[in-house]
Amino acid sequence: MSSEKPIRALWLMNHSTLRKFEVPLLQEFGVEIYLPKVFPYDEGNLSASISHECDAGLSIPRTDLEAMDQHNFYTGITPEIRQIINRHFDLAFFGYFPEQLAALTRNFHGTLVMRPFGLSNGMTYGAVTESVLGHSFRYELEKLGNRFWFGQAYPHLADIESGVFRKRAIHLPLGLAAPDSAARWTGGDRRILFVCPRIGTSPYFKRIYLEFRENFRDFDYLIGGAQPIAISDSKALGFLSRDDFEAVMRRTQVMFYHGQERNHVHYHPFEAVSIGMPLVFMADGMLDALGGRHLPGRARTIDEARRKIARILNDDRGFIAEVVGAQRALLTSMSVDYCRPIWDAHFRRILQSTGDSSPPAASSRPTRIAVMLPEAYRGGTLDVAKIVAKMLKHGAEERADRVEVVFAYPHASIYSEDDFLDLRERGIPLRRFYWRSLSSAEFDSVRRLSLSFEGPGSEQYVVPDDGANFMLDCDLWLLATDRVPRPIAPLRPYILYVQDYLQRYFPELFGPVYERAFIEAARHAAAVLVSTPHAGQDVVQYAGVPANRVRLVPHVVELDKHRGPSASGTGDGYFVWTTNTGPHKKHLQSLKAFERYFSEVGDAALDIHVTGVNTRLFDPEVECAEPSPLVREVRAFVGERPVLRQRLRFHGELDDASYSRVIGNARFLFHNVTMDNGTLCAVEAAYLGVPTLSSDYPPMRYLSARYRLACRFMHQDRLSDVVRHLIEATRESEAWRRELPSRTFLDALSWRSVSSEFWDVIRMYAQ
Amino acid sequence: MKIGIYLGYPPRVRLTSQGLGRYLQHLVKGLADSNAVSIVILTPSWLRKDMPEFLADHGLPSGRIRFVAPARMPMAIRLFDLIEGWRNRPGRMGGLIRRVKGALRKRVAGARSLAFSYVSMVLTSRSVAGFVVRLLPLVALAPLLVVAAIVLMVPLVLLKLALSVAGTLRSSRPVAWLRAKTLPFVALFSDLIPASRDPLISALFERISREESKLMIALANREQCDAWYAPTAFWPEVTEIKGNLLVCVPDLSPSEFPVHYAIKYPHVVATVERIVSTVRRGVHFVTYGDGVATQTLIHQLGVPAERVFTVPHAPNRLDHHINVIGTLDPVHAKRRFATSLIEAHRAVCFQHDDYRRSFSFSDTRYIFYPTQIRPNKNILNLLLAYDILLRKKYRHVKLFLTGSLRDDREISDFISARRLNYEVLDFQNVSDQLLAALYHRAELVVNSSLFEGGFPFTFSEGLSVGTPSVQADLPEVRRFLGDELGDEMLFDPYDPEHIAEVIARGLDQRQILLDKQLQVLDRFENRDWATVADRHVDIFRQICAQANPA
C-alpha cells in the first residue's frame, strides 16, 4: 500500500442501520469509503437502502465513481470494474453473499473483510460456501492468505467454523448508533409489536408467524416488517419508513422477540431497547449472551412470556420500569464506547496485514495451470486441447501475467512424441496421467490430511495420477472435455471445457445409460467453457449449471499447418466427405444420397474422398478383423454397390501435409452429422479455398457466421434435400468458392489472435 | 334466498386448491359476497373442522355462511385420526426411537472402546506375570460373557427372521396381485387425493360414507333451503334431498375415451356409473361448457335441454402469489422469488434424484403443462412433439408437468426409450404459490388436452403471471376464441409435428403472442367469479320458479 495514497475501502453493504454505525467509525480511522448504489431488488432486501453520503469524500476520478455506481457488486465483477477497484481500493468490507465472495476473491487484489452476522442453528459459513460455490472454492480462499479476514460481528461465530474462516477470524463487533431522534417510548397502544417480515415468501418466517399467532391468539397485536407478498392479516403493517416504524415502536406497549438462535439476532430488539420500549424475549437465544440472562423481560416459556406481556399490557408501571431499566444492559456491547476500542485494535491488525508485503507461500511462484485431456482422443478434440494450452501461455504472456502451463494427457498407445512437438517448442511441459479412483474412506483421509476444508460426505471420486503428486502442484485444472469416469475430487478448482452433449440429441449414443459423472463434472466446475452458444445452452439446460458460470470463449482452429499455397483451380474431380466411425455421422443416409447422386448426375458426378480417423475401415477391400456393427453395415452397403465401390476412396486419418493436399484439391467438403460442436474441418477447408456443404444444426450455423464460411445447409432428415444439394454443389462449386473469406480474415480469428481474449476469461480463476 | 351446498367427500380426502377444490373456493366466495343469498354448507362429520378452514383461505365473509354436519364422527374415523395424529406428532415416537438408537450407539461405542483399552493393556504387558494377572478378569468373566452374548443374540435373530417373513409375505404374489388390482382405487377426475389406497380401508370408507350420507340427507331436509347445489355429480345420494336441486357436471371424460380408461383405469366404470345415476335421478344440471351440456347431458344421457344450464367459469389469477410489492424492480424480484420457490421445492422433494437434486433451475427454460396424467391429456403426443422440438428444431427447453409420470407405464417407457428422463420433469403436490412460480418461469404454457369440459384454466392462469399459452384446437376453445389467434396458438393435438411447430413458433414469437393473448384475457376478465355466482343465483331462482309457479 502506498503511503501517499489514502486508505480506501469498498463497504459493499446496503443495510441502513449497520451503515449508520460502521461507516462513521471507519471514517474516524481516516478511511475513504465507497458505498454501493445498486443492490438486488428482490423480496429479501426490501429494507435495504442506498446512500451517497461518502461520495464527496472519495478522492477517485468521477468517471470511475460513476462506473462503480452503475455496477451491481452483489452479482459479479466486470473487467472494467476489476480495473477500477484494483486501481483505487485497498480493502473490501462485504456481507455474506456467496457470489459476491467468489467475485471479490477472484478479482480484487486488496484485503477482503467478510462480515458474518451469524447463521441459523446448525449451519456454518463453511458448509454454505461449499454447497453454493463448490468444495474446491476453499482452495481459492486459502490462497488469499493474509488478504482474507473473517470479520465476525460476534466473537464466538468462528468457534463452529473450520479452515480459513476459523484461522482468519477477527472480531469487529456489531454496533448500534444512537437514535436520530431523542423521542422516547410512551406506550399507550395496548398491543404487542411483533416484527416478522416476509411471511408470504419465507417458510421460516411463516412458521414463526403462525407460532406467534397461535401462542398469542387471545392478545391484540401488530405485525411489523415488510411483507413483499400481500398477506390476509389486517394486523400486518407491511413496509414502513424508518420514521413511521420508530413512531409505531414509541406508541406500542411492548415488543416481543421470539429469536432463540445462538448465532444470530435481529436489530429490532435493540432498536426497541434504545428508545426505552419494554422488550419481552425468549431465553436461550443470543440475547442471553449479550447480557440478557438475568433480565426481567426474559421468558423461559411461552406461558411466562404471556404472563409478562399481560402485565405490561395492563400497564403495570412497576414492572414496566423494572423491565425498561434493566434491559439497557443489552446495549452495552453494541455501544460506540464498547465497540470503538475493539474496532480500533482489530482494524489496525487488518491494515498491518494489508501492508504486509510477504505473500502467502502458495503464491510465491507463478500460478500453474494444468490443461488436461481427460480421455484418450485424437483428431479435433486433441487439437482443441493443445490449442487451449497454447492460448493460455500466449495470452498470459501478452498480458504480462506470470503463469506456467503444463499439458497432461492420458497414458495411451495412440500417442507418439510427434503429437506434442508443437507444445514442447512453446515451452509447455508434458505429463501423462490416469484417473485413479478414491474410495470414500480414502477421500475422507485426504480431506482430513488437507486440513483446509470440510468437504463432502461419502462420495467416490477420481484424482488425476501423474505419478508424482496427483497434479496438486497446479493451482487450477482445465479439463479439455467432460469425459471423466467419476466426479473429480474437489482438491483443486477446475474449469471444464465442454464440447457438446451429443447424447441429448442422439439418444442412441448412450442408450439407457445416464452419464452422471459428466453432468456432475460440469456442476462442480468453477466455470464451464463453451465455444458455441448452442453448447452454452446445453450446459445450462441439460447439465443444470447456472448461466453465470458458463463462459463463451472464442472458437479457434489451428490453421498454421495449412499455410501452404491454397488451391487455385477448380479442384480435381472429387469432393471430400469428412467423417469418422461415430454413430451420429449419418453414414447410411449419406451413402444412400451418394448412390442417388451418381445415378442422377451420371458422368458429371464427382468422386468422393473419405477422410477422418478410422475411415479406412469403411473400405470393403481393407482387412478389418472385428468391425463394429456400424462399420460392418457401412462396408456391406458399399460392398453391395459397384458405383460406390468404384467412386469412393477411403483415406483414413491423414498427416497434415496430405490432409491439406486432399482437402485443398477438392471441389467442396461434405459434412453430415446429427449434432456436434461444429466441425473444424470446415474452417480448415475454407482456409484452403474449399467451401462446405453441411447438415443443418446450430453449431455449424454459428461457425459459418463467425468465419463467414458461406456453408450451404442440407435438411437433417430429407434424403432428397441432401441429393439436391450435392447436385447443386457440383454444378456451382466454382462460383461458390468465390464467396469464401480471405486468409487474412481467417488469420485474424486464429488462436494467436484471440489468445489474450481467452486468457482474460481464465485469469480470474488463476489469481 | 337460502342455498344449500352439498359436499359428500369420503373420509381421509385431502382438500386441495386445484381443479374442483379451487372452483368451489371461488364459487362459494362469489355467492357469499352476493347479498342475494345466505348459504348453508353441508359436509360429512369428518370435514366439520377442515372445510371452513379450506374455504377461509379465500377470505370468506363470515356470518353469511353456516356449516352443518352430522354431530358425531364414526368411531373408525376417530381411530384413524388418533393413529395419524400420534404418528405425525413431532418428537414423540420418532424422537424416542432416535434417542434409543443414539443411546445404544453410544453404549456400543463405549463397550468397544473399553474392550480395546483392556486388550491393549493385556498385550502391552512386559512380563509373563503381568500378562497373566491382567488376563485373569477375562478368564473369570468368560462364562458370563458367553451367556450374555446368547441372551442378546437370540431375540435379535428371531426379530430378523420375523422381519424377513413379513417382507416375503408383503411381496408375495397373491398380496401383490391384490394390491395391483386395487391400488388405482382413486377418484380419478375429482382432483382429490385420497389419503388411503388400501382396498380394505377404501371399502370401509365407502360403507361409512353411505351411512353418513343418510344422516346428511336428513339434515338437509331439515334445513328448508330454497335450492341445493352439488359441485360434482359423484354423489347420487344428493338427489334424495327433497326440494330443488342443481348438480354441476364438470365433464364425463371417461366416456369420451372409453378404451383408454377401460384398459388403464377400469375402476372408473363405477365412478362414471355413479355420475350417470346422479344424472338420471337428478333434475337440473349446470356445466362449464356447451360441449358437455349438449353432447353429454342432452344427447348422450337424454336430459331435456330446458333442465341444462351452462355457466362458463371465470379466469383464474395466480399473480397475487408471487407479485413482490415494495421493491424498486418488481419484475426482477418476481422472477427471483419464483426461482427461489422452485429451488426450495428441489431442496425438499428432489433429494433422492441424482439428476435433479443439484440441478440449478435459476436459468432453466421450459414449457409447462400443469396437469394430472389422464387419458384425455394426450401426454404421449405431447412427448412426441417435444422430442421433435428438442432434437429436430433445436429449441433449448425442457418440459415440466405436474402429474406423476411414473404412474403411467406407457408414458414412462416412452420417456426412457427416447432418453428423455433428463428433459421431461414432473413436479408433484405443488402448492398454489409454487404453481404460480412454475407458470411464471415457463416460456410457454402448453395444453395438449383432447377434451375439456370448458375453456382450459391454464390459459388465464399462465397469462396472469405473464406466460402465454399454446393449446389444442378444441371446440370449447374455438367457441371462445373464434378465429382470432387460432393459427398462432392452436394446434392439432393428434399431429405431433404440428404441435412441435406451434410450440416452436410460440417460443420464437413469445412476446407477440403474449401481447395478443393479454388482449383476449381482458375480454375474459369481464367475467369474474361474482358474475359466475350471480349467474348461479339466477339459475336457482329459475328452478325455484319452475317448481313453484306463481
Side-chain angles (χ1 to χ4, degrees):
Chain A
M1 193 167 43
S2 155
S3 56
E4 298 86 39
K5 190 166 79 76
I7 301 162
R8 296 197 195 99
L10 301 160
W11 196 85
L12 299 176
M13 288 167 272
N14 290 82
H15 194 288
S16 317
T17 317
L18 188 67
R19 184 172 58 227
K20 262 169 73 177
F21 179 83
E22 288 191 4
V23 167
L25 201 60
L26 287 168
Q27 284 172 326
E28 260 184 51
F29 299 149
V31 181
E32 288 185 14
I33 304 279
Y34 171 77
L35 299 174
K37 311 302 186 304
V38 181
F39 60 86
Y41 301 128
D42 54 38
E43 56 87 27
N45 291 299
L46 291 190
S47 53
S49 66
I50 55 173
S51 165
H52 292 269
E53 66 193 82
C54 297
D55 292 356
L58 201 54
S59 59
I60 66 169
R62 293 294 101 175
T63 48
D64 288 352
L65 179 64
E66 280 160 18
M68 290 171 72
D69 283 350
Q70 300 297 315
H71 183 71
N72 184 348
F73 281 93
Y74 292 87
T75 52
I77 290 175
T78 61
E80 184 202 3
I81 296 298
R82 173 192 166 102
Q83 278 193 0
I84 294 173
I85 59 176
N86 285 324
R87 194 158 53 230
H88 303 304
F89 291 89
D90 312 290
L91 295 146
F93 290 83
F94 56 100
Y96 182 68
F97 290 86
E99 294 297 340
Q100 188 180 41
L101 169 66
L104 286 165
T105 303
R106 290 166 181 164
N107 291 285
F108 185 52
H109 297 158
T111 296
L112 278 66
V113 185
M114 189 170 110
R115 295 287 283 130
F117 301 106
L119 298 172
S120 303
N121 290 343
M123 292 171 80
T124 66
Y125 284 95
V128 177
T129 305
E130 290 189 9
S131 122
V132 179
L133 299 174
H135 300 292
S136 57
F137 181 73
R138 280 290 184 108
Y139 180 78
E140 295 183 61
L141 268 181
E142 296 279 349
K143 269 187 70 194
L144 294 179
N146 291 348
R147 289 203 292 117
F148 179 81
W149 290 97
F150 185 78
Q152 53 190 352
Y154 309 106
H156 65 287
L157 294 184
D159 294 352
I160 53 168
E161 300 291 337
S162 63
V164 69
F165 290 153
R166 191 178 178 113
K167 67 188 177 200
R168 299 296 297 163
I170 193 162
H171 183 207
L172 297 174
L174 185 76
L176 184 68
D180 292 336
S181 154
R184 306 286 296 166
W185 173 78
T186 56
D189 182 341
R190 304 283 174 90
R191 288 185 283 188
I192 309 169
L193 177 60
F194 181 63
V195 177
C196 188
R198 302 173 60 207
I199 294 166
T201 55
S202 156
Y204 170 79
F205 283 115
K206 181 160 191 178
R207 184 178 54 76
I208 289 168
Y209 164 72
L210 292 176
E211 278 175 13
F212 171 80
R213 214 174 56 168
E214 178 65 21
N215 291 335
F216 295 89
R217 61 186 175 280
D218 43 351
F219 286 81
D220 202 358
Y221 56 83
L222 287 173
I223 302 290
Q227 304 299 344
I229 299 280
I231 59 164
S232 57
D233 185 339
S234 55
K235 292 171 179 171
L237 297 167
F239 178 76
L240 296 178
S241 69
R242 188 76 236 151
D243 290 346
D244 288 347
F245 180 64
E246 280 178 9
V248 169
M249 281 201 297
R250 278 196 298 273
R251 68 163 193 266
T252 321
Q253 191 77 350
V254 60
M255 177 182 278
F256 173 67
Y257 183 62
H258 65 284
Q260 291 181 294
E261 305 282 357
R262 296 211 174 93
N263 296 320
H264 184 69
V265 64
H266 295 91
Y267 253 122
H268 59 266
F270 300 102
E271 289 171 321
V273 170
S274 73
I275 61 160
M277 179 184 194
L279 174 74
V280 174
F281 62 95
M282 294 308 293
D284 301 329
M286 203 158 146
L287 289 182
D288 278 4
L290 296 172
R293 197 173 294 279
H294 303 292
L295 294 182
R298 179 177 186 261
R300 278 177 297 267
T301 63
I302 288 293
D303 279 344
E304 189 182 346
R306 286 167 54 88
R307 281 197 302 276
K308 290 184 170 174
I309 285 174
R311 289 178 71 182
I312 297 172
L313 290 179
N314 288 332
D315 216 18
D316 181 338
R317 284 281 147 190
F319 184 59
I320 290 173
E322 199 185 329
V323 168
V324 172
Q327 69 188 15
R328 294 199 59 78
L330 289 173
L331 296 180
T332 309
S333 62
M334 300 187 85
S335 66
V336 177
D337 290 345
Y338 174 85
C339 294
R340 189 190 281 116
I342 305 176
W343 265 86
D344 193 19
H346 290 172
F347 188 63
R348 273 174 209 284
R349 268 183 69 197
I350 291 172
L351 282 184
Q352 275 164 10
S353 76
T354 308
D356 187 354
S357 59
S358 64
S363 60
S364 58
R365 56 163 175 74
T367 300
R368 185 173 295 159
I369 304 174
V371 175
M372 298 157 69
L373 183 63
E375 200 173 78
Y377 279 106
R378 295 192 59 80
T381 309
L382 175 62
D383 285 348
V384 168
K386 291 197 304 178
I387 293 174
V388 164
K390 289 189 276 190
M391 282 200 295
L392 283 182
K393 187 153 175 70
H394 193 69
E397 282 166 3
E398 283 195 336
R399 293 279 190 250
D401 288 330
R402 290 174 68 222
V403 169
E404 292 176 2
V405 178
V406 300
F407 186 85
Y409 63 97
H411 285 275
S413 57
I414 58 169
Y415 299 121
S416 71
E417 287 237 342
D418 288 350
D419 289 322
F420 305 105
L421 277 179
D422 51 342
L423 295 179
R424 283 198 184 284
E425 281 166 10
R426 287 180 171 82
I428 297 174
L430 299 171
R431 290 186 201 179
R432 289 202 291 174
F433 78 99
Y434 70 95
W435 291 110
R436 186 193 176 104
S437 294
L438 277 187
S439 68
S440 54
E442 286 169 330
F443 179 73
D444 190 50
S445 301
V446 172
R447 183 181 68 74
R448 289 155 72 181
L449 290 166
S450 304
L451 303 177
S452 62
F453 66 102
E454 290 173 2
S458 57
E459 275 282 8
Q460 289 203 317
Y461 290 105
V462 288
V463 280
D465 187 347
D466 60 352
N469 191 20
F470 296 91
M471 311 288 290
L472 293 182
D473 60 311
C474 301
D475 303 293
L476 178 69
W477 298 340
L478 197 158
L479 277 66
T481 76
D482 62 353
R483 297 305 195 249
V484 291
R486 272 197 194 148
I488 301 158
L491 301 174
R492 287 292 177 272
Y494 68 87
I495 290 176
L496 192 72
Y497 199 154
V498 165
Q499 303 303 321
D500 58 53
Y501 287 100
L502 181 55
Q503 63 273 26
R504 191 180 191 206
Y505 301 93
F506 187 67
E508 296 83 355
L509 187 69
F510 288 173
V513 178
Y514 281 81
E515 67 295 12
R516 186 176 156 228
F518 302 167
I519 285 177
E520 292 286 315
R523 289 184 189 169
H524 294 129
V528 180
L529 308 182
V530 291
S531 60
T532 65
H534 173 84
Q537 281 293 312
D538 278 344
V539 175
V540 174
Q541 305 300 331
Y542 184 71
V545 176
N548 62 8
R549 276 195 217 165
V550 182
R551 301 273 184 275
L552 182 64
V553 292
H555 187 280
V556 284
V557 186
E558 173 70 273
L559 295 172
D560 293 1
K561 55 193 179 191
H562 306 299
R563 289 207 182 277
S566 61
S568 52
T570 54
D572 291 349
Y574 70 88
F575 67 86
V576 166
W577 177 24
T578 176
T579 185
N580 60 32
T581 51
H584 61 294
K585 298 272 182 176
K586 304 177 88 163
H587 301 96
L588 285 185
Q589 189 204 49
S590 300
L591 290 169
K592 283 177 191 165
F594 297 157
E595 190 182 14
R596 274 176 58 180
Y597 164 74
F598 288 125
S599 146
E600 288 186 28
V601 179
D603 290 344
L606 301 170
D607 285 347
I608 302 170
H609 287 214
V610 188
T611 64
V613 178
N614 287 332
T615 48
R616 289 268 296 155
L617 300 177
F618 290 147
D619 187 348
E621 313 287 324
V622 170
E623 284 287 311
C624 182
E626 287 179 18
S628 67
L630 174 78
V631 170
R632 196 179 306 130
E633 206 174 3
V634 171
R635 287 166 70 95
F637 194 95
V638 175
E640 288 161 10
R641 288 160 180 81
V643 67
L644 296 183
R645 270 206 320 270
Q646 204 181 335
R647 305 203 60 176
L648 261 63
R649 189 168 160 201
F650 298 92
H651 288 283
E653 187 184 11
L654 295 167
D655 60 64
D656 290 347
S658 309
Y659 180 77
S660 295
R661 182 171 43 75
V662 170
I663 300 279
N665 285 319
R667 297 271 280 275
F668 61 90
L669 186 77
F670 177 80
H671 170 66
N672 191 16
V673 297
T674 309
M675 172 62 69
D676 59 18
N677 198 33
T679 181
L680 308 178
C681 301
V683 189
E684 293 170 328
Y687 198 73
L688 293 163
V690 176
T692 296
L693 175 60
S694 167
S695 50
D696 194 356
Y697 61 102
M700 270 314 285
R701 286 267 175 191
Y702 177 74
L703 258 62
S704 184
R706 174 176 168 82
Y707 295 100
R708 299 185 195 162
L709 301 178
C711 289
R712 292 184 178 185
F713 291 102
M714 311 172 285
H715 192 285
Q716 277 274 12
D717 296 319
R718 288 196 199 127
L719 188 64
S720 57
D721 200 55
V722 179
V723 177
R724 180 176 67 80
H725 272 97
L726 281 169
I727 295 169
E728 283 175 11
T730 303
R731 283 192 196 130
E732 298 160 12
S733 65
E734 186 57 22
W736 187 12
R737 228 174 238 269
R738 287 196 287 274
E739 297 172 32
L740 290 174
S742 68
R743 282 195 168 188
T744 319
F745 174 79
L746 291 173
D747 277 334
L749 294 169
S750 74
W751 70 264
R752 267 194 200 77
S753 312
V754 297
S755 287
S756 44
E757 191 186 334
F758 184 80
W759 169 243
D760 287 343
V761 176
I762 308 298
R763 73 194 300 190
M764 71 167 169
Y765 303 98
Q767 278 265 37
Chain B
M1 176 180 269
K2 185 174 173 186
I3 303 294
I5 297 178
Y6 182 92
L7 303 172
Y9 295 117
R12 323 303 298 157
V13 152
R14 187 146 57 85
L15 298 165
T16 70
S17 292
Q18 286 173 32
L20 184 54
R22 184 180 302 141
Y23 183 83
L24 189 64
Q25 285 173 325
H26 283 307
L27 183 66
V28 172
K29 169 136 177 39
L31 288 171
D33 284 344
S34 134
N35 288 323
V37 292
S38 64
I39 301 169
V40 172
I41 295 182
L42 176 59
T43 67
S45 53
W46 45 84
L47 286 179
R48 172 189 282 278
K49 183 167 171 284
D50 291 350
M51 186 54 76
E53 279 176 22
F54 173 67
L55 294 175
D57 276 357
H58 269 236
L60 293 181
S62 55
R64 214 167 280 143
I65 302 177
R66 202 157 58 81
F67 290 90
V68 177
R72 286 197 211 124
M73 256 198 279
M75 279 311 291
I77 307 295
R78 282 194 240 177
L79 209 59
F80 268 99
D81 279 354
L82 206 66
I83 293 168
E84 196 157 278
W86 179 254
R87 211 165 37 187
N88 296 338
R89 223 157 153 188
R92 291 287 178 202
M93 283 304 278
L96 182 69
I97 290 168
R98 259 197 308 279
R99 278 200 298 279
V100 169
K101 266 188 180 170
L104 270 177
R105 202 170 290 137
K106 230 184 231 171
R107 296 279 183 286
V108 169
R112 264 168 56 176
S113 155
L114 191 69
F116 181 76
S117 306
Y118 174 70
V119 171
S120 307
M121 189 180 75
V122 173
L123 293 178
T124 51
S125 308
R126 286 175 185 271
S127 68
V128 175
F131 180 75
V132 171
V133 169
R134 289 177 185 188
L135 202 60
L136 272 177
L138 181 67
V139 175
L141 285 173
L144 200 64
L145 286 174
V146 170
V147 171
I150 291 169
V151 169
L152 274 173
M153 287 306 287
V154 166
L156 276 177
V157 168
L158 282 177
L159 184 68
K160 197 157 187 183
L161 207 66
L163 286 174
S164 144
V165 168
T168 316
L169 189 68
R170 203 178 166 76
S171 56
S172 69
R173 272 197 182 175
V175 175
W177 179 85
L178 194 67
R179 286 175 72 81
K181 283 287 167 200
T182 48
L183 261 183
F185 196 85
V186 291
L188 248 191
F189 44 108
S190 68
D191 289 309
L192 299 168
I193 303 159
S196 172
R197 291 184 173 191
D198 191 294
L200 290 176
I201 305 286
S202 294
L204 174 68
F205 284 174
E206 204 170 293
R207 177 69 185 267
I208 291 172
S209 292
R210 267 208 306 275
E211 293 300 317
E212 187 82 358
S213 69
K214 287 178 191 160
L215 296 175
M216 289 171 67
I217 299 299
L219 282 174
N221 288 335
R222 279 211 291 273
E223 282 295 328
Q224 297 192 330
C225 290
D226 295 301
W228 280 89
Y229 171 78
T232 165
F234 292 157
W235 311 310
E237 67 274 9
V238 74
T239 56
E240 289 166 26
I241 296 178
K242 294 188 185 94
N244 302 310
L245 174 67
L246 181 67
V247 177
C248 180
V249 183
D251 66 63
L252 202 58
S253 60
S255 68
E256 302 288 329
F257 305 88
V259 181
H260 214 141
Y261 272 100
I263 294 169
K264 284 191 177 168
Y265 309 102
H267 62 284
V268 162
V269 174
T271 313
V272 168
E273 282 172 353
R274 278 210 300 278
I275 295 174
V276 171
S277 164
T278 311
V279 172
R280 297 225 188 281
R281 291 155 64 182
V283 182
H284 293 100
F285 302 95
V286 61
T287 67
Y288 304 151
D290 288 340
V292 175
T294 314
Q295 291 301 320
T296 309
L297 291 179
I298 298 171
H299 289 162
Q300 268 184 293
L301 295 171
V303 180
E306 65 274 15
R307 290 208 233 136
V308 180
F309 303 90
T310 296
V311 183
H313 49 64
N316 263 348
R317 294 197 70 93
L318 296 172
D319 47 343
H320 60 283
H321 290 296
I322 53 168
N323 273 351
V324 177
I325 41 187
T327 166
L328 291 174
D329 187 350
V331 174
H332 168 79
K334 179 154 72 171
R335 187 180 162 85
R336 281 286 298 260
F337 178 50
T339 304
S340 74
L341 289 169
I342 296 171
E343 301 239 303
H345 181 79
R346 179 199 64 191
V348 175
C349 300
F350 295 159
Q351 280 315 294
H352 301 295
D353 181 318
D354 276 346
Y355 179 70
R356 293 186 226 191
R357 73 170 166 220
S358 59
F359 188 96
S360 166
F361 287 94
S362 60
D363 303 287
T364 311
R365 299 177 72 232
Y366 61 89
I367 52 175
F368 184 43
Y369 186 17
T371 182
Q372 299 295 310
I373 309 299
R374 302 277 183 269
N376 57 313
K377 301 298 181 181
N378 199 24
I379 302 295
L380 218 47
N381 269 342
L382 178 61
L383 291 172
L384 282 163
Y386 175 73
D387 195 38
I388 296 168
L389 189 73
L390 176 72
R391 290 170 177 160
K392 302 289 179 207
K393 297 187 182 292
Y394 307 114
R395 295 308 196 279
H396 286 284
V397 287
K398 283 177 144 36
L399 170 61
F400 289 1
L401 299 124
T402 51
S404 169
L405 296 169
R406 260 182 303 180
D407 288 353
D408 189 306
R409 184 70 177 276
E410 204 178 353
I411 288 171
S412 55
D413 283 355
F414 177 86
I415 289 174
S416 294
R418 290 301 299 160
R419 210 174 179 282
L420 290 170
N421 302 56
Y422 284 1
E423 310 289 358
V424 182
L425 307 184
D426 53 3
F427 287 69
Q428 294 171 47
N429 299 333
V430 298
S431 65
D432 279 7
Q433 198 170 43
L434 178 60
L435 185 69
L438 285 165
Y439 266 117
H440 175 61
R441 283 291 318 275
E443 297 297 314
L444 277 184
V445 177
V446 181
N447 189 324
S448 58
S449 178
L450 295 168
F451 175 85
E452 289 292 327
F455 192 88
F457 273 123
T458 50
F459 180 76
S460 59
E461 288 175 347
L463 284 177
S464 73
V465 292
T467 305
S469 283
V470 295
Q471 56 196 58
D473 193 350
L474 304 180
E476 293 296 341
V477 174
R478 277 280 174 191
R479 207 167 287 142
F480 182 78
L481 287 178
D483 289 332
E484 198 180 351
L485 275 172
D487 290 342
E488 283 143 286
M489 63 170 281
L490 301 185
F491 50 73
D492 174 358
Y494 294 94
D495 179 358
E497 284 283 351
H498 191 231
I499 300 175
E501 189 185 315
V502 173
I503 295 174
R505 201 186 315 129
L507 289 168
D508 296 345
Q509 300 175 3
R510 184 179 188 274
Q511 191 57 48
I512 297 171
L513 195 61
L514 179 62
D515 293 343
K516 287 183 177 173
Q517 290 186 354
L518 283 173
Q519 289 171 14
V520 174
L521 186 68
D522 283 345
R523 206 172 65 209
F524 235 145
E525 292 200 312
N526 292 331
R527 195 176 66 233
D528 56 12
W529 288 100
T531 323
V532 173
D534 287 348
R535 178 79 184 101
H536 277 81
V537 173
D538 287 346
I539 295 170
F540 291 134
R541 287 210 177 98
Q542 209 172 322
I543 60 179
C544 289
Q546 277 174 21
N548 309 301

